[in-house]
Amino acid sequence: MAKFLRLIIVVLIRTNWRKMFVVGAILTICSVVIQISSLPYPLNQWILPRTTKISSYKHLNTATHLIENHPLSVQDARAIASLNYSANLNHSAVISNEQQRVSRRRRRKHHMESTMDTPPSPPYIVRKLPDHLRHVLSLTPDEALAFAKREIENAPIVSEDPELYTPLFRNISTFKRSYEWMEYILKVYIYQEGNRPIFHDPHLIGIYASEGWFMKLMEENRQFVTKDPEKAHLFYLPYSARQLKSALYVPNSHNLRPLSIFLRDYVNMLAEKYPFWNRTHGSNHFLVACHDWGPYTLKEHEELITNTIKVICNADASEGIFKAGKDVSLPETLVKNPRRTHRNLGGKRVSQRPILAFYAGHMHGRVRPILFKYWSDKDEDMRIYGALPNRVSRNMSYTEHMKSSKYCVCPMGYEVNSPRIVEAIYYECVPVIIADGFVLPFDDVLNWNAFSVIVAEKDIPKLKEILLAIPLRQYLTMQTNVKMLQKHFLWNAKSVRYDLFHFILHSIWNSRLKQIQIPQPS
């Protein structure tokens, strides 16, 4: 071993390193040339690859797709496969960067206003008049409404529609045509007068949130709102009944007259400042009020209570203030979190709904004490409570009860409406409505018998009998209809076709159309 090491040292000492460097360089160059000549693709085409026409929206995933569409050689395919591998690495890097950006956006989400816990709705598409109907835009507002009314009365027959579920509607052909004409021509003028908080201040939380959500979405809307009152078909009085009560009502006074006087003076100011109220005595004006006191705060102004289109939750036809066919029944929606209006949406399958009927709530008004008297703790199938007891809520929450029940009882309270109707729709529970004199929301277009049970107050003692008499097949149909109905009762951050905002606006539009007389041919 020692001799071998001495030999190596002698060789290293005697070696001419300059000659060795030259020989090494020559060997390296020869090796590179040999490797290049053996490549499956010419070197110049690696640097400047041949142009292959590939659709820009398709991924370069495999050589197979290109071979099928372009006559490439096997060597070409191998080269492209190699390129694919590099492209996929780059694509993965892009995806990783994008995921990081999405993650950062999600972390910031709780600092930003959001009204959804579901995927965002598609952007609203403005429907424009067909070319042969463009002349309608040159008509006066009343002439345009008369033209639209005639078109609606002669609506083409519609049997199916991708956005609408036919069994929910009284006449889907008429509704669809009316809705389209609303999209085509409707313009609303919003009075700018009035200071916050009573005016232009939408309150988006609680059982009276419907009036606030409508105000918010109406004032943000660019399609229906016009700045030119001469072009308007409708005029909106943008006040909040809830904010009016909070600002002006003296607690425990039981006196609503100051609120009524305030609204009277507001309308008189508008009538003096503008000509639009006096032209129709307020019949083309509308207000939106969900608070129970909404109808009662209008009494000091005769035209306000008689002529104006009242969009109110307290739609009680028996009191003489709400006029069925002219006024609009506004759904009462309980909003707990305006950033997550779709929270807990959906329900269980029918096989996972062991409870026949459920109700829990305060025992006020004329109906609920009767319901409690006949059905509280009387029958295991009828889960009727006052406030949900702690012993019960520990095992199953209020929401879970609704999702686990076939029918959800919605009795009136002090007034006819109840947020439980919309809650039942959200949780896919067939609503059982008990409120004599209540005009149901959107009754002009929806067939409530298709997805709800309406029980007269006098029939409360027979409630279980009525529900058990409904055949299973009919119940399954009703429950399916409730699911299909949901989208028409949803508040969206940005309003979309056929949602709750548009359904309310269509009912107002429909009421205005009823005022229009179509000229008869002479």
Side-chain angles (χ1 to χ4, degrees), residues 296 314 316 318-319 332 359 362-371 409-421 432-438 455 457 460:
Y296 312 128
N314 190 5
D316 190 345
S318 66
E319 294 184 339
E332 192 170 289
Y359 167 79
H362 296 296
M363 286 296 151
H364 55 249
R366 66 175 186 261
V367 171
R368 297 180 186 182
I370 300 174
L371 180 70
V409 182
C410 308
M412 64 175 287
Y414 287 125
E415 304 296 346
V416 290
N417 206 344
S418 168
R420 288 171 182 79
I421 297 174
V432 179
I433 302 166
I434 310 176
D436 293 354
F438 180 36
V455 176
E457 294 174 19
I460 291 176

Side-chain angles (χ1 to χ4, degrees), residues 375-441:
W375 295 110
S376 178
D377 294 326
K378 299 294 192 300
D379 193 307
E380 184 63 22
D381 291 334
M382 305 289 287
R383 305 286 180 89
I384 306 299
Y385 305 99
L388 195 63
N390 290 333
R391 59 180 172 80
V392 176
S393 62
R394 280 197 296 266
N395 297 322
M396 186 183 295
S397 68
Y398 177 89
T399 299
E400 285 300 312
H401 269 87
M402 296 193 86
K403 292 188 175 191
S404 302
S405 301
K406 293 180 175 66
Y407 298 95
C408 290
V409 182
C410 308
M412 64 175 287
Y414 287 125
E415 304 296 346
V416 290
N417 206 344
S418 168
R420 288 171 182 79
I421 297 174
V422 177
E423 282 183 322
I425 294 170
Y426 286 175
Y427 303 143
E428 299 170 5
C429 179
V430 175
V432 179
I433 302 166
I434 310 176
D436 293 354
F438 180 36
V439 178
L440 293 165

Side-chain angles (χ1 to χ4, degrees), residues 18-116:
R18 292 183 180 179
K19 292 181 180 180
M20 288 293 293
F21 178 80
V22 172
V23 172
I26 294 172
L27 291 174
T28 301
I29 293 172
C30 292
S31 176
V32 170
V33 170
I34 293 172
Q35 291 183 34
I36 290 175
S37 64
S38 65
L39 286 174
Y41 210 90
L43 181 62
N44 66 326
Q45 294 193 33
W46 279 97
I47 301 171
L48 297 172
R50 69 178 69 179
T51 57
T52 304
K53 293 183 178 179
I54 303 172
S55 176
S56 61
Y57 65 86
K58 295 181 179 178
H59 292 293
L60 193 62
N61 289 327
T62 63
T64 305
H65 172 75
L66 294 179
I67 292 172
E68 291 174 350
N69 294 279
H70 305 279
L72 304 179
S73 66
V74 174
Q75 287 184 343
D76 292 343
R78 290 174 180 170
I80 292 173
S82 178
L83 284 173
N84 282 337
Y85 178 74
S86 299
N88 287 336
L89 289 178
N90 293 333
H91 183 60
S92 300
V94 171
I95 291 176
S96 178
N97 291 335
E98 179 62 23
Q99 288 175 340
Q100 292 177 5
R101 287 195 293 271
V102 170
S103 178
R104 287 195 296 269
R105 286 198 297 268
R106 286 176 178 172
R107 287 196 296 268
R108 293 196 303 266
K109 184 176 179 181
H110 68 280
H111 296 296
M112 302 170 64
E113 181 177 357
S114 169
T115 57
M116 293 288 183

Side-chain angles (χ1 to χ4, degrees), residues 42-234:
L43 181 62
N44 66 326
Q45 294 193 33
W46 279 97
I47 301 171
L48 297 172
R50 69 178 69 179
T51 57
T52 304
K53 293 183 178 179
I54 303 172
S55 176
S56 61
Y57 65 86
K58 295 181 179 178
H59 292 293
L60 193 62
N61 289 327
T62 63
T64 305
H65 172 75
L66 294 179
I67 292 172
E68 291 174 350
N69 294 279
H70 305 279
L72 304 179
S73 66
V74 174
Q75 287 184 343
D76 292 343
R78 290 174 180 170
I80 292 173
S82 178
L83 284 173
N84 282 337
Y85 178 74
S86 299
N88 287 336
L89 289 178
N90 293 333
H91 183 60
S92 300
V94 171
I95 291 176
S96 178
N97 291 335
E98 179 62 23
Q99 288 175 340
Q100 292 177 5
R101 287 195 293 271
V102 170
S103 178
R104 287 195 296 269
R105 286 198 297 268
R106 286 176 178 172
R107 287 196 296 268
R108 293 196 303 266
K109 184 176 179 181
H110 68 280
H111 296 296
M112 302 170 64
E113 181 177 357
S114 169
T115 57
M116 293 288 183
D117 56 354
T118 57
S121 301
Y124 189 85
I125 301 173
V126 176
R127 264 56 180 182
K128 295 183 179 180
L129 274 169
D131 290 339
H132 68 285
L133 296 174
R134 291 290 175 85
H135 69 280
V136 177
L137 300 178
S138 64
L139 301 177
T140 66
D142 283 2
E143 290 172 342
L145 290 174
F147 187 94
K149 186 174 182 179
R150 188 184 299 109
E151 289 286 309
I152 294 166
E153 290 177 351
N154 298 300
I157 300 299
V158 175
S159 57
E160 292 185 3
D161 185 272
E163 296 181 275
L164 300 172
Y165 190 59
T166 303
L168 303 178
F169 295 88
R170 294 183 179 275
N171 187 326
I172 193 172
S173 302
T174 301
F175 170 74
K176 182 173 176 61
R177 193 61 173 154
S178 176
Y179 191 96
E180 288 172 345
W181 272 101
M182 178 186 77
E183 290 181 308
Y184 289 153
I185 68 172
L186 177 61
K187 295 300 176 185
V188 178
Y189 181 77
I190 303 175
Y191 288 108
Q192 298 304 306
E193 286 75 12
N195 297 324
R196 294 171 179 263
I198 297 173
F199 301 93
H200 309 287
D201 188 14
H203 194 82
L204 305 179
I205 299 177
I207 63 173
Y208 304 128
S210 289
E211 63 184 33
W213 275 94
F214 182 88
M215 180 189 295
K216 171 187 181 294
L217 295 172
M218 188 77 257
E219 293 198 323
E220 290 176 355
N221 192 277
R222 294 184 179 181
Q223 179 187 3
F224 297 112
V225 173
T226 179
K227 300 295 184 182
D228 184 356
E230 294 292 348
K231 295 181 179 179
H233 306 92
L234 287 163

